[in-house]
Amino acid sequence: MNAIIFHGSTPYASADRYWYWWLAGELGERGMDAVVADLPMMDREPLGDTLFAARTMDLRIDAGTILIGHSAGTNRIFSILEQADVQVRATYLLAGYCTPKPNRCLTLKDSYDWRRIKDHAGEVYLFNSFDDPFDCDEHQGQLLFDHLGGTLILRSDGHFFQPTQPLLLKQLEQPDQPSAAAQETQG
């Protein structure tokens, strides 16, 4: 089993910030191959360029892969799943969104093939926050839930910038068994 972690918009959420490497280390200690995909121009270059850069990383995406995205990194995962020819094990999206924000997001496409994404996403976990300062809030979580189903976990954790994400780690340790609290919003 392997995990690929996609950071948010650079330069603010680059690969070396927040919880990305902490999570990769925790997963590595548990025997999982985990990598943080370093995309230094994400959301500062056209999406096609970012997709090409990710393809050159030769990331292993198969039935044992877990995709983890934060903020604009979730949009990157949508593009991967649209093009995938295999269903991944699970997809975890923190502060994800699917509608345009006040500032143009270069990682966000005008439209997605949500059926195809859902078919390739495996088990889906959505983490959104009531108090997200960038509007990646419970409304965005609900929109993603409407498109993808899965488990919607609503918190008051801002934009998930904390240096660790213990709830995410707990869910990753039991990907096929949502917590009792998460089951309340499972669809």
Side-chain angles (χ1 to χ4, degrees), residues 88-167:
V88 299
R89 180 176 175 88
T91 301
Y92 294 78
L93 307 175
L94 283 78
Y97 60 96
C98 59
T99 60
K101 302 285 155 213
N103 297 326
R104 176 90 172 113
C105 300
L106 298 178
T107 60
L108 187 64
K109 292 173 41 176
D110 292 332
S111 66
Y112 290 96
D113 183 343
W114 291 111
R115 165 70 81 187
R116 186 164 174 80
I117 293 169
K118 183 177 182 176
D119 289 347
H120 292 102
E123 188 64 36
V124 175
Y125 294 86
L126 308 164
F127 294 72
N128 287 81
S129 187
F130 294 107
D131 59 352
D132 190 296
F134 303 106
D135 298 325
C136 301
D137 55 18
E138 73 275 14
H139 304 291
Q140 289 294 319
Q142 184 64 53
L143 287 171
L144 289 172
F145 180 80
D146 292 346
H147 289 304
L148 302 173
T151 302
L152 173 58
I153 300 170
L154 297 174
R155 312 275 299 180
S156 289
D157 284 346
H159 199 62
F160 299 93
F161 282 149
Q162 300 83 350
T164 63
Q165 293 294 329
L167 181 60

Side-chain angles (χ1 to χ4, degrees), residues 4 8 10 14 30 33 35 57 62 84 87 122 137-138 148 154 164 172 174:
I4 306 169
T10 62
S14 59
R30 288 157 175 78
D33 292 328
V35 63
M57 294 175 156
D62 58 31
Q87 182 184 59
D137 55 18
E138 73 275 14
L148 302 173
L154 297 174
T164 63
L172 283 160
Q174 303 170 353

Side-chain angles (χ1 to χ4, degrees), residues 38-57:
D38 188 5
L39 298 165
M41 295 301 292
M42 188 164 73
D43 214 23
R44 295 190 294 163
E45 67 185 0
L47 177 61
D49 293 351
T50 299
L51 294 173
F52 177 78
R55 278 192 299 273
T56 63
M57 294 175 156

Side-chain angles (χ1 to χ4, degrees), residues 54-77:
R55 278 192 299 273
T56 63
M57 294 175 156
D58 198 29
L59 300 170
R60 181 178 56 140
I61 299 175
D62 58 31
T65 300
I66 295 173
L67 299 174
I68 304 162
H70 176 232
S71 192
T74 65
N75 306 139
R76 177 67 192 96
I77 288 174

